Amino acid sequence: MKTRKISVIITLLSLVALLSTACVAPMAAPAADMGGADQPVELSMWYFNWPPGYEYQAERVRIYMDEHPNVTIDFDHSIPPVGEGGFEDKVTSSLATGTAPDIFAVINPQAIKLINKGQLAPIDDEALAGLGFDSVEELKASRLPGAFDSWSAMDGTPYGYHWELSWLVLYCNDEHFRQAGVDPDAVTLETWDDLISVGKQVIEGNPDFYLDDAGNFQRNFIKLPMYFDDTWSMQVLTTFLAQTGGSVLNAERTEATINEPAGVEAVEWMMRVSRELGDPNIGPVIPGEVHAAFGSGEMTCDLAGPWMYEAFLVATESPVLDSGYHAYGMPSIESGKPGNVFWGWAWVVNAASPNKKAAWEFLRFLEADPQGQATASGIWQPLPDIEKGWGAGRVPYADLVAAAADGGQAIFVTGHYAEIARILRGKIEAMAFEGADVQASLDEAAEEIDPVLDGE
Amino acid sequence: MNKAGRVESAVGIGKSHLAARLWPANWRYHTRMKVIGFLFTLPVLVFFLVFNIYPIISAIIISFFEFDLFGPMTWVGPANYQNLTGNKNFWSAIRVTLSFMLFFGPPAWVIGFLFASLIKDKIIGRFFFRSVFFAPTILSAVAMATAWSLLLRQNGPLNAMLGLSVSWLTKQNSALWGIVIMSIWQGAGWFMVVFLAGLQSIPQTFYEAAAIDGAGRWPLLRHITLPMLRPIFAFVVIHTIIAGMKIFTPMFIMTGGGPNNSTRSMAMLIYHEGLRDLRMGRASAISMVGFVLILILTIIQLRLFRVHEGVEA
């Protein structure tokens, strides 16, 4: 009986202890900077499991540690980006529990959430010194205009140092054009109308490839890479919005404006391209598979970033490299009115890191060879004229790829990005897959978004 | 040496000096054995408290707070629960989850039972068939979901084989079916193993006696096999309810919860609310509702099967 009482008491005490710890929010790590000259410094850094990226970074880490024997960098690139957000969720939960590394990569639509929660170190005077700039203005001037927009707080303070800035570029398979009697060198794909016109010509010239016996699509001429993935949906949507002057939210971020005429026009163009040059219901759905379909020669045209050449063609030994392809820049709705999306990954420093100075100094080194980075990983830093360098310049049609960045704008910035993107993605899927009415769908989206913004 | 002495010697705590220091002299043998038993289970108990009880208690507490993972927790009382009643995403997730359970469970049980019935006898190649039927269960769920998203394309192999033109994963009224088909394929082998164990535990004498009385296959199934498998059925139903409430991976990989949120399960909604939208309070409240749902469904089915501690009432 006495033993039973002891057992009960021990169990109850354990439960009380657990209850009390359950009520306590995680403690932030101390923020004293340990990065004095020649003092031993241990940095930790995370990137996701994408070999072209982490292999290059790992080599830079190795060189840096050789040159700075007092610095040890624990680089973890094993985190799988399974599904959408695998890496980001790991970062979020580790920040919440005080176990995040000193340095990690953040994709831009998610950055503002972490900035608003005070989890990222700003690029302040100490960071500028570490990165080798005298002022924020000088830092911003060194990158493409607008590059910092979605890695900045509402007051304009930047928080991220770019590893990548991407925009969309139209790539098309030369062989498919030629098989339909269309000369890929002669066509002009300046507008979406041009693309739809040429696309129909290619389909009609080689119907057995694209259509089944009943005249239904069995292959897509192009499929917009935007389904089953919130961020890719927003990338494509932002591109078309940039061309119509539309926006998801008003300037104050208090109300949805996606259902206004410019927003509706943008989405109507997305649907036209999707439905007239293919069937969204067939073929690959997830964006990565859509790019792979272009690489394997299953699809004629694709919208992808400057990394298409290295990451999806060279790395996969794509047959398209042999058959030939063109990059056509980015078609616009109206000729001469370019518009594109900016998104990508930047390196950030944990606000709770005790080694911020050393972290920024290392990041300066990590990003100090943009042409080597472009060659090894296919990832372009957002530097003016990067396409003229020996590394990025190797990419076929590098001038056109670079020119496609004209009119680039960031995906909408709000702390409620994830929720709003999910709503919009759902409506895009209903419109594309099931033919739901554009205006009605966007009205529904606006109705669902407004209550979310009430908490902004 | 008496029984107590043998056991104490076996665990090294007999009348040694160490034992004398560890145990009060007036503790009787049974008391000492209980303490020893408790100490042996302590590691598992601590593990259970830390990794099961602690998260449950945390979730209950957090469900009454507004908590974004980074800032302080703010007490909101039952507001997180009240908000769920008017939250269409929540009701949609409940509908998806219950539909999944309903459409996945019975076909998977039937197929699993048929497989088990086929391979329980000594037929040629039964070990091969057991392995083949069971293999999908042990394969990576992520890999399987990826493979099936290829198979289920409108112009994919499954439609070609069946002569169909169904947009399995892109239409709101068929996407869940696509996931159910994949889940049945993956889960039937597990049910097969469970039913096989149940079938092999039925004494052969029952069948022999019934056969002597002239019973055919259907009466044997109806009056011997199915009644004897009642505890097994109870187990698979509970398992299906629990697994169904937790279903996440196929939706996450194959559709991301789409199209238009038509395959977003409760587990996925919890993930979205908690980790993506940083509303841990609401995510915890949904978890608690899920817990209560599992409890209610389990009690109902236990009543239906009238099973108490594995013995028919």
Side-chain angles (χ1 to χ4, degrees), chain B residues 118-150:
Chain B
L118 287 172
I119 61 170
K120 84 175 166 61
D121 298 322
K122 289 180 181 172
I123 58 167
I124 295 169
R126 67 182 173 136
F127 292 110
F128 170 76
F129 288 118
R130 274 184 202 182
S131 306
V132 168
F133 294 152
F134 189 66
T137 305
I138 55 170
L139 293 172
S140 154
V142 173
M144 288 304 95
T146 306
W148 271 87
S149 53
L150 300 176

mmCIF file of all heavy atoms in Angstrom, chain B residues 118-150:
data_model
loop_
_atom_site.group_PDB
_atom_site.id
_atom_site.type_symbol
_atom_site.label_atom_id
_atom_site.label_comp_id
_atom_site.label_asym_id
_atom_site.label_seq_id
_atom_site.Cartn_x
_atom_site.Cartn_y
_atom_site.Cartn_z
ATOM 1 N N LEU B 118 -7.465 -16.541 -48.827
ATOM 2 C CA LEU B 118 -6.829 -17.251 -49.938
ATOM 3 C C LEU B 118 -5.505 -17.882 -49.532
ATOM 4 O O LEU B 118 -5.164 -18.977 -50.005
ATOM 5 C CB LEU B 118 -6.591 -16.275 -51.109
ATOM 6 C CG LEU B 118 -7.819 -15.852 -51.902
ATOM 7 C CD1 LEU B 118 -7.464 -14.745 -52.894
ATOM 8 C CD2 LEU B 118 -8.408 -17.037 -52.653
ATOM 9 N N ILE B 119 -4.757 -17.199 -48.701
ATOM 10 C CA ILE B 119 -3.396 -17.683 -48.433
ATOM 11 C C ILE B 119 -3.238 -18.370 -47.076
ATOM 12 O O ILE B 119 -2.138 -18.720 -46.688
ATOM 13 C CB ILE B 119 -2.362 -16.530 -48.540
ATOM 14 C CG1 ILE B 119 -2.664 -15.451 -47.514
ATOM 15 C CG2 ILE B 119 -2.304 -15.976 -49.930
ATOM 16 C CD1 ILE B 119 -1.566 -14.425 -47.410
ATOM 17 N N LYS B 120 -4.347 -18.562 -46.359
ATOM 18 C CA LYS B 120 -4.184 -19.214 -45.052
ATOM 19 C C LYS B 120 -3.940 -20.724 -45.207
ATOM 20 O O LYS B 120 -3.290 -21.331 -44.372
ATOM 21 C CB LYS B 120 -5.386 -18.933 -44.151
ATOM 22 C CG LYS B 120 -6.587 -19.827 -44.325
ATOM 23 C CD LYS B 120 -7.632 -19.498 -43.291
ATOM 24 C CE LYS B 120 -8.979 -20.113 -43.606
ATOM 25 N NZ LYS B 120 -8.999 -21.551 -43.679
ATOM 26 N N ASP B 121 -4.462 -21.272 -46.290
ATOM 27 C CA ASP B 121 -4.251 -22.712 -46.506
ATOM 28 C C ASP B 121 -2.895 -22.946 -47.165
ATOM 29 O O ASP B 121 -2.274 -22.027 -47.684
ATOM 30 C CB ASP B 121 -5.376 -23.269 -47.382
ATOM 31 C CG ASP B 121 -6.728 -23.104 -46.702
ATOM 32 O OD1 ASP B 121 -6.780 -23.267 -45.466
ATOM 33 O OD2 ASP B 121 -7.691 -22.761 -47.403
ATOM 34 N N LYS B 122 -2.496 -24.218 -47.143
ATOM 35 C CA LYS B 122 -1.174 -24.546 -47.694
ATOM 36 C C LYS B 122 -1.249 -24.649 -49.212
ATOM 37 O O LYS B 122 -1.254 -25.732 -49.790
ATOM 38 C CB LYS B 122 -0.673 -25.853 -47.091
ATOM 39 C CG LYS B 122 -0.285 -25.698 -45.631
ATOM 40 C CD LYS B 122 0.205 -26.985 -45.028
ATOM 41 C CE LYS B 122 0.563 -26.765 -43.566
ATOM 42 N NZ LYS B 122 0.877 -28.018 -42.865
ATOM 43 N N ILE B 123 -1.308 -23.494 -49.854
ATOM 44 C CA ILE B 123 -1.330 -23.487 -51.315
ATOM 45 C C ILE B 123 0.081 -23.199 -51.828
ATOM 46 O O ILE B 123 0.913 -22.645 -51.097
ATOM 47 C CB ILE B 123 -2.312 -22.425 -51.872
ATOM 48 C CG1 ILE B 123 -1.916 -21.019 -51.355
ATOM 49 C CG2 ILE B 123 -3.728 -22.758 -51.514
ATOM 50 C CD1 ILE B 123 -2.608 -19.903 -52.063
ATOM 51 N N ILE B 124 0.314 -23.558 -53.073
ATOM 52 C CA ILE B 124 1.646 -23.337 -53.648
ATOM 53 C C ILE B 124 1.908 -21.832 -53.753
ATOM 54 O O ILE B 124 1.048 -21.076 -54.220
ATOM 55 C CB ILE B 124 1.734 -23.987 -55.045
ATOM 56 C CG1 ILE B 124 1.599 -25.516 -54.912
ATOM 57 C CG2 ILE B 124 3.066 -23.645 -55.737
ATOM 58 C CD1 ILE B 124 1.400 -26.238 -56.215
ATOM 59 N N GLY B 125 3.055 -21.421 -53.296
ATOM 60 C CA GLY B 125 3.463 -20.021 -53.415
ATOM 61 C C GLY B 125 2.833 -19.102 -52.399
ATOM 62 O O GLY B 125 2.819 -17.888 -52.592
ATOM 63 N N ARG B 126 2.307 -19.658 -51.296
ATOM 64 C CA ARG B 126 1.590 -18.781 -50.367
ATOM 65 C C ARG B 126 2.524 -17.769 -49.703
ATOM 66 O O ARG B 126 2.122 -16.650 -49.427
ATOM 67 C CB ARG B 126 0.825 -19.587 -49.320
ATOM 68 C CG ARG B 126 1.683 -20.347 -48.342
ATOM 69 C CD ARG B 126 0.790 -21.127 -47.400
ATOM 70 N NE ARG B 126 1.592 -21.991 -46.571
ATOM 71 C CZ ARG B 126 1.415 -22.134 -45.280
ATOM 72 N NH1 ARG B 126 0.474 -21.462 -44.672
ATOM 73 N NH2 ARG B 126 2.169 -22.958 -44.594
ATOM 74 N N PHE B 127 3.783 -18.188 -49.461
ATOM 75 C CA PHE B 127 4.709 -17.225 -48.852
ATOM 76 C C PHE B 127 5.022 -16.089 -49.821
ATOM 77 O O PHE B 127 5.156 -14.926 -49.436
ATOM 78 C CB PHE B 127 5.995 -17.924 -48.401
ATOM 79 C CG PHE B 127 5.767 -18.855 -47.254
ATOM 80 C CD1 PHE B 127 5.843 -20.223 -47.419
ATOM 81 C CD2 PHE B 127 5.431 -18.348 -45.995
ATOM 82 C CE1 PHE B 127 5.602 -21.085 -46.362
ATOM 83 C CE2 PHE B 127 5.197 -19.201 -44.933
ATOM 84 C CZ PHE B 127 5.281 -20.576 -45.115
ATOM 85 N N PHE B 128 5.096 -16.451 -51.099
ATOM 86 C CA PHE B 128 5.324 -15.417 -52.114
ATOM 87 C C PHE B 128 4.154 -14.435 -52.141
ATOM 88 O O PHE B 128 4.352 -13.215 -52.121
ATOM 89 C CB PHE B 128 5.499 -16.093 -53.487
ATOM 90 C CG PHE B 128 5.498 -15.122 -54.639
ATOM 91 C CD1 PHE B 128 6.618 -14.341 -54.905
ATOM 92 C CD2 PHE B 128 4.370 -14.973 -55.447
ATOM 93 C CE1 PHE B 128 6.616 -13.439 -55.954
ATOM 94 C CE2 PHE B 128 4.369 -14.068 -56.496
ATOM 95 C CZ PHE B 128 5.496 -13.300 -56.750
ATOM 96 N N PHE B 129 2.931 -14.991 -52.161
ATOM 97 C CA PHE B 129 1.756 -14.114 -52.225
ATOM 98 C C PHE B 129 1.636 -13.258 -50.955
ATOM 99 O O PHE B 129 1.264 -12.095 -51.006
ATOM 100 C CB PHE B 129 0.480 -14.927 -52.446
ATOM 101 C CG PHE B 129 0.382 -15.473 -53.846
ATOM 102 C CD1 PHE B 129 0.356 -16.834 -54.077
ATOM 103 C CD2 PHE B 129 0.332 -14.600 -54.936
ATOM 104 C CE1 PHE B 129 0.293 -17.330 -55.364
ATOM 105 C CE2 PHE B 129 0.259 -15.090 -56.226
ATOM 106 C CZ PHE B 129 0.243 -16.461 -56.449
ATOM 107 N N ARG B 130 1.947 -13.845 -49.813
ATOM 108 C CA ARG B 130 1.922 -13.073 -48.564
ATOM 109 C C ARG B 130 2.853 -11.869 -48.670
ATOM 110 O O ARG B 130 2.501 -10.756 -48.302
ATOM 111 C CB ARG B 130 2.380 -13.936 -47.383
ATOM 112 C CG ARG B 130 1.282 -14.753 -46.766
ATOM 113 C CD ARG B 130 1.824 -15.484 -45.558
ATOM 114 N NE ARG B 130 0.983 -16.627 -45.263
ATOM 115 C CZ ARG B 130 1.169 -17.442 -44.244
ATOM 116 N NH1 ARG B 130 2.198 -17.265 -43.450
ATOM 117 N NH2 ARG B 130 0.349 -18.441 -44.025
ATOM 118 N N SER B 131 4.053 -12.132 -49.185
ATOM 119 C CA SER B 131 5.039 -11.053 -49.312
ATOM 120 C C SER B 131 4.557 -9.989 -50.281
ATOM 121 O O SER B 131 4.666 -8.785 -50.019
ATOM 122 C CB SER B 131 6.382 -11.601 -49.797
ATOM 123 O OG SER B 131 6.805 -12.632 -48.958
ATOM 124 N N VAL B 132 4.015 -10.456 -51.414
ATOM 125 C CA VAL B 132 3.568 -9.506 -52.440
ATOM 126 C C VAL B 132 2.425 -8.648 -51.907
ATOM 127 O O VAL B 132 2.419 -7.419 -52.060
ATOM 128 C CB VAL B 132 3.132 -10.261 -53.719
ATOM 129 C CG1 VAL B 132 2.397 -9.326 -54.676
ATOM 130 C CG2 VAL B 132 4.340 -10.860 -54.403
ATOM 131 N N PHE B 133 1.455 -9.291 -51.254
ATOM 132 C CA PHE B 133 0.302 -8.529 -50.755
ATOM 133 C C PHE B 133 0.709 -7.569 -49.632
ATOM 134 O O PHE B 133 0.137 -6.500 -49.473
ATOM 135 C CB PHE B 133 -0.792 -9.472 -50.233
ATOM 136 C CG PHE B 133 -1.422 -10.324 -51.298
ATOM 137 C CD1 PHE B 133 -1.961 -11.566 -51.007
ATOM 138 C CD2 PHE B 133 -1.483 -9.883 -52.621
ATOM 139 C CE1 PHE B 133 -2.540 -12.350 -51.989
ATOM 140 C CE2 PHE B 133 -2.059 -10.667 -53.608
ATOM 141 C CZ PHE B 133 -2.585 -11.897 -53.297
ATOM 142 N N PHE B 134 1.699 -7.976 -48.848
ATOM 143 C CA PHE B 134 2.078 -7.172 -47.689
ATOM 144 C C PHE B 134 3.080 -6.071 -48.054
ATOM 145 O O PHE B 134 3.183 -5.064 -47.353
ATOM 146 C CB PHE B 134 2.686 -8.069 -46.598
ATOM 147 C CG PHE B 134 2.912 -7.365 -45.291
ATOM 148 C CD1 PHE B 134 1.831 -6.900 -44.550
ATOM 149 C CD2 PHE B 134 4.187 -7.146 -44.811
ATOM 150 C CE1 PHE B 134 2.021 -6.237 -43.351
ATOM 151 C CE2 PHE B 134 4.400 -6.479 -43.607
ATOM 152 C CZ PHE B 134 3.298 -6.026 -42.876
ATOM 153 N N ALA B 135 3.780 -6.259 -49.178
ATOM 154 C CA ALA B 135 4.866 -5.325 -49.533
ATOM 155 C C ALA B 135 4.454 -3.852 -49.526
ATOM 156 O O ALA B 135 5.180 -3.011 -48.978
ATOM 157 C CB ALA B 135 5.452 -5.709 -50.890
ATOM 158 N N PRO B 136 3.285 -3.488 -50.101
ATOM 159 C CA PRO B 136 2.940 -2.052 -50.120
ATOM 160 C C PRO B 136 2.882 -1.420 -48.730
ATOM 161 O O PRO B 136 3.138 -0.231 -48.577
ATOM 162 C CB PRO B 136 1.554 -2.028 -50.779
ATOM 163 C CG PRO B 136 1.479 -3.270 -51.572
ATOM 164 C CD PRO B 136 2.266 -4.285 -50.800
ATOM 165 N N THR B 137 2.558 -2.242 -47.725
ATOM 166 C CA THR B 137 2.431 -1.707 -46.365
ATOM 167 C C THR B 137 3.760 -1.206 -45.830
ATOM 168 O O THR B 137 3.794 -0.242 -45.071
ATOM 169 C CB THR B 137 1.881 -2.816 -45.436
ATOM 170 O OG1 THR B 137 0.662 -3.282 -46.007
ATOM 171 C CG2 THR B 137 1.615 -2.290 -44.044
ATOM 172 N N ILE B 138 4.833 -1.863 -46.214
ATOM 173 C CA ILE B 138 6.130 -1.491 -45.630
ATOM 174 C C ILE B 138 6.923 -0.531 -46.516
ATOM 175 O O ILE B 138 7.975 -0.081 -46.136
ATOM 176 C CB ILE B 138 6.989 -2.739 -45.318
ATOM 177 C CG1 ILE B 138 7.152 -3.600 -46.572
ATOM 178 C CG2 ILE B 138 6.396 -3.545 -44.178
ATOM 179 C CD1 ILE B 138 8.163 -4.706 -46.403
ATOM 180 N N LEU B 139 6.381 -0.228 -47.700
ATOM 181 C CA LEU B 139 7.091 0.710 -48.562
ATOM 182 C C LEU B 139 6.862 2.141 -48.071
ATOM 183 O O LEU B 139 5.878 2.429 -47.397
ATOM 184 C CB LEU B 139 6.598 0.575 -50.009
ATOM 185 C CG LEU B 139 6.936 -0.747 -50.696
ATOM 186 C CD1 LEU B 139 6.236 -0.834 -52.047
ATOM 187 C CD2 LEU B 139 8.439 -0.886 -50.888
ATOM 188 N N SER B 140 7.779 3.024 -48.433
ATOM 189 C CA SER B 140 7.689 4.423 -48.004
ATOM 190 C C SER B 140 6.395 5.056 -48.500
ATOM 191 O O SER B 140 6.072 4.993 -49.690
ATOM 192 C CB SER B 140 8.885 5.195 -48.566
ATOM 193 O OG SER B 140 8.573 6.554 -48.697
ATOM 194 N N ALA B 141 5.672 5.663 -47.579
ATOM 195 C CA ALA B 141 4.398 6.295 -47.939
ATOM 196 C C ALA B 141 4.624 7.442 -48.921
ATOM 197 O O ALA B 141 3.823 7.662 -49.833
ATOM 198 C CB ALA B 141 3.706 6.812 -46.681
ATOM 199 N N VAL B 142 5.736 8.156 -48.751
ATOM 200 C CA VAL B 142 6.033 9.276 -49.647
ATOM 201 C C VAL B 142 6.299 8.763 -51.066
ATOM 202 O O VAL B 142 5.770 9.290 -52.049
ATOM 203 C CB VAL B 142 7.252 10.074 -49.126
ATOM 204 C CG1 VAL B 142 7.682 11.121 -50.136
ATOM 205 C CG2 VAL B 142 6.922 10.732 -47.795
ATOM 206 N N ALA B 143 7.107 7.701 -51.139
ATOM 207 C CA ALA B 143 7.430 7.135 -52.457
ATOM 208 C C ALA B 143 6.165 6.601 -53.136
ATOM 209 O O ALA B 143 5.954 6.798 -54.348
ATOM 210 C CB ALA B 143 8.460 6.025 -52.307
ATOM 211 N N MET B 144 5.324 5.924 -52.342
ATOM 212 C CA MET B 144 4.096 5.366 -52.917
ATOM 213 C C MET B 144 3.158 6.466 -53.400
ATOM 214 O O MET B 144 2.558 6.365 -54.473
ATOM 215 C CB MET B 144 3.372 4.513 -51.864
ATOM 216 C CG MET B 144 4.055 3.201 -51.547
ATOM 217 S SD MET B 144 4.305 2.191 -53.021
ATOM 218 C CE MET B 144 5.961 2.630 -53.481
ATOM 219 N N ALA B 145 3.042 7.507 -52.604
ATOM 220 C CA ALA B 145 2.149 8.609 -52.988
ATOM 221 C C ALA B 145 2.654 9.266 -54.272
ATOM 222 O O ALA B 145 1.872 9.599 -55.161
ATOM 223 C CB ALA B 145 2.073 9.631 -51.864
ATOM 224 N N THR B 146 3.971 9.403 -54.381
ATOM 225 C CA THR B 146 4.550 10.004 -55.590
ATOM 226 C C THR B 146 4.280 9.110 -56.801
ATOM 227 O O THR B 146 3.863 9.590 -57.864
ATOM 228 C CB THR B 146 6.072 10.199 -55.412
ATOM 229 O OG1 THR B 146 6.287 10.944 -54.208
ATOM 230 C CG2 THR B 146 6.671 10.947 -56.584
ATOM 231 N N ALA B 147 4.501 7.804 -56.621
ATOM 232 C CA ALA B 147 4.280 6.871 -57.731
ATOM 233 C C ALA B 147 2.811 6.869 -58.160
ATOM 234 O O ALA B 147 2.489 6.875 -59.354
ATOM 235 C CB ALA B 147 4.724 5.474 -57.332
ATOM 236 N N TRP B 148 1.922 6.890 -57.168
ATOM 237 C CA TRP B 148 0.496 6.848 -57.509
ATOM 238 C C TRP B 148 0.007 8.143 -58.145
ATOM 239 O O TRP B 148 -0.958 8.137 -58.900
ATOM 240 C CB TRP B 148 -0.337 6.504 -56.264
ATOM 241 C CG TRP B 148 -0.481 5.025 -56.125
ATOM 242 C CD1 TRP B 148 0.370 4.165 -55.506
ATOM 243 C CD2 TRP B 148 -1.535 4.215 -56.661
ATOM 244 N NE1 TRP B 148 -0.078 2.876 -55.624
ATOM 245 C CE2 TRP B 148 -1.256 2.885 -56.320
ATOM 246 C CE3 TRP B 148 -2.678 4.483 -57.402
ATOM 247 C CZ2 TRP B 148 -2.081 1.827 -56.678
ATOM 248 C CZ3 TRP B 148 -3.512 3.430 -57.760
ATOM 249 C CH2 TRP B 148 -3.208 2.123 -57.415
ATOM 250 N N SER B 149 0.649 9.251 -57.839
ATOM 251 C CA SER B 149 0.223 10.479 -58.512
ATOM 252 C C SER B 149 0.561 10.407 -60.004
ATOM 253 O O SER B 149 -0.108 11.034 -60.824
ATOM 254 C CB SER B 149 0.803 11.730 -57.847
ATOM 255 O OG SER B 149 2.175 11.631 -57.719
ATOM 256 N N LEU B 150 1.563 9.611 -60.360
ATOM 257 C CA LEU B 150 1.848 9.380 -61.786
ATOM 258 C C LEU B 150 0.822 8.424 -62.387
ATOM 259 O O LEU B 150 0.298 8.649 -63.476
ATOM 260 C CB LEU B 150 3.254 8.798 -61.971
ATOM 261 C CG LEU B 150 4.431 9.631 -61.474
ATOM 262 C CD1 LEU B 150 5.741 8.871 -61.637
ATOM 263 C CD2 LEU B 150 4.503 10.940 -62.243
#
